[in-house]
Amino acid sequence: MDDTISPYPLRIITLPIDASKLKLHSLRILNVGHLPGRIMYRDHAVFEKWAFVYISGGKGTYRVNGGPIQQVNSGSLFVFRPNTVYQYGPEPGGYWDEYYFTMEGSRVQEWQSSWLTQLDLVKQVGANDAAQHNRIERIFILMESGIPTNIDRAAMLVESLLFEFIMQAEATIETTKSQQFISLIEDLSQSLYQPFDAQLVARRHHISLSTLRRIVSEYSGYPLNTYMHRMKMAEAKNILLNTTNSVKEIAESLGYKDVFYFSRIFKKYVGVSPLIFRKTMHA
């Protein structure tokens, strides 16, 4: 037990046989470890091999090449790539529970060209659960066996585990984006009957104006201003068909102070002027 790392017993398993006995050469586990209650923080760590770290409890920070400090929480996954400087570990006076897998082989490079992207970002892959714990425990047991075919199986299990982690992280991001978009659309819908202030909407959602524009464009397919005009024109058509309000009254109610500008926008998106639209639809 190393009290500088953790007050609890560590479980570290290094490849127990000669690598030449393995059948799987494109992906090899060099060692795996479980550091429960880790307290040590590393300020200038450089690694020769790839390592993948999963935090099942506690919290701390992770930093790559002096870049932004990223928060690490229970359910976080992050990567150590060779010849890169890392600062990482639990918060002062705190701890985290760490599992790590040190790997080598051409499959790691293949991962980067397909599903393993944004290597320097902490990914939230979900809280620790029984299924994850069982899969990790199986990897450790296979490594401890010292049987070449079992160690090959362990490597494939690590690949499967990491793939599932990344898919979960992406699903979480998409869910968050969808929820954010729904919230934004509801806000934008409530802005129909007033002049549109994009800066105000962005501030309400604690995002930048460029982020607001990007989100609306990604999920609607239209630039922000185009999306708002289209929504307002859809509402204008509804008012034209169901009320006797004048075009000027409708324009003002939708936040257009200039009725002529409103009419030009209406014709641009509907194809005819407001009056012709009302007359045609009522004919």
Side-chain angles (χ1 to χ4, degrees):
M1 180 170 66
D2 190 339
D3 291 335
T4 64
I5 298 177
S6 169
Y8 304 105
L10 310 182
R11 187 182 183 188
I12 299 174
I13 307 167
T14 301
L15 182 63
I17 62 172
D18 191 291
S20 64
K21 296 181 179 179
L22 300 174
K23 291 183 173 63
L24 186 61
H25 301 295
S26 60
L27 185 63
R28 182 181 299 132
I29 299 179
L30 300 178
N31 55 67
V32 298
H34 179 207
L35 314 180
R38 176 181 179 140
I39 57 175
M40 184 179 72
Y41 181 90
R42 295 194 65 180
D43 190 51
H44 191 91
V46 180
F47 302 92
E48 295 182 359
K49 303 294 183 179
W50 287 88
F52 302 87
V53 182
Y54 173 64
I55 304 302
S56 62
K59 59 183 178 179
T61 57
Y62 165 87
R63 192 178 189 188
V64 185
N65 285 331
I69 296 174
Q70 301 179 57
Q71 296 301 310
V72 173
N73 299 292
S74 177
S76 290
L77 176 75
F78 54 86
V79 177
F80 295 140
R81 48 192 174 88
N83 306 314
T84 305
V85 179
Y86 294 94
Q87 297 168 290
Y88 72 99
E91 297 177 339
Y95 78 96
W96 72 30
D97 295 323
E98 172 184 325
Y99 290 93
Y100 69 83
F101 310 89
T102 305
M103 314 289 292
E104 68 176 1
S106 60
R107 288 184 76 94
V108 178
Q109 281 68 44
E110 292 176 18
W111 299 347
Q112 294 175 65
S113 64
S114 52
W115 51 268
L116 183 62
T117 59
Q118 297 181 310
L119 295 173
D120 294 338
L121 293 182
V122 173
K123 297 171 176 59
Q124 196 64 28
V125 299
N128 188 33
D129 61 28
Q132 291 170 347
H133 178 78
N134 289 340
R135 189 178 296 186
I136 291 172
E137 180 60 25
R138 187 180 174 198
I139 293 168
F140 276 68
I141 291 173
L142 290 170
M143 286 291 292
E144 287 174 328
S145 75
I147 300 172
T149 53
N150 281 350
I151 294 172
D152 284 333
R153 290 188 181 101
M156 297 301 291
L157 271 177
V158 170
E159 180 175 59
S160 175
L161 176 70
L162 293 175
F163 181 79
E164 292 301 328
F165 274 157
I166 297 302
M167 294 303 102
Q168 177 61 40
E170 291 182 358
T172 300
I173 290 171
E174 287 304 312
T175 298
T176 301
K177 285 183 177 179
S178 296
Q179 291 171 341
Q180 186 178 38
F181 176 67
I182 290 171
S183 177
L184 276 173
I185 293 305
E186 289 177 350
D187 193 341
L188 294 175
S189 297
Q190 294 172 4
S191 302
L192 291 182
Y193 287 91
Q194 54 188 297
F196 178 57
D197 188 335
Q199 289 280 10
L200 182 60
V201 173
R203 284 198 298 271
R204 278 201 298 267
H205 291 269
H206 308 289
I207 56 177
S208 66
L209 181 56
S210 61
T211 298
L212 171 63
R213 287 173 174 155
R214 176 179 56 77
I215 291 172
V216 171
S217 177
E218 284 180 356
Y219 283 87
S220 73
Y222 297 109
L224 177 60
N225 285 339
T226 299
Y227 179 77
M228 288 305 300
H229 282 314
R230 284 182 172 275
M231 291 220 312
K232 285 176 179 280
M233 294 310 107
E235 186 66 9
K237 289 194 294 182
N238 180 56
I239 299 171
L240 284 165
L241 294 177
N242 294 288
T243 74
T244 58
N245 293 357
S246 68
V247 173
K248 186 175 186 299
E249 289 173 332
I250 295 172
E252 290 177 348
S253 71
L254 291 171
Y256 294 96
K257 296 181 179 179
D258 186 340
V259 66
F260 298 106
Y261 175 70
F262 167 78
S263 295
R264 287 199 303 273
I265 295 295
F266 188 94
K267 185 174 183 179
K268 176 181 178 180
Y269 291 110
V270 180
V272 295
S273 70
L275 288 177
I276 293 177
F277 174 83
R278 173 179 271 168
K279 181 178 179 180
T280 302
M281 298 303 292
H282 281 163

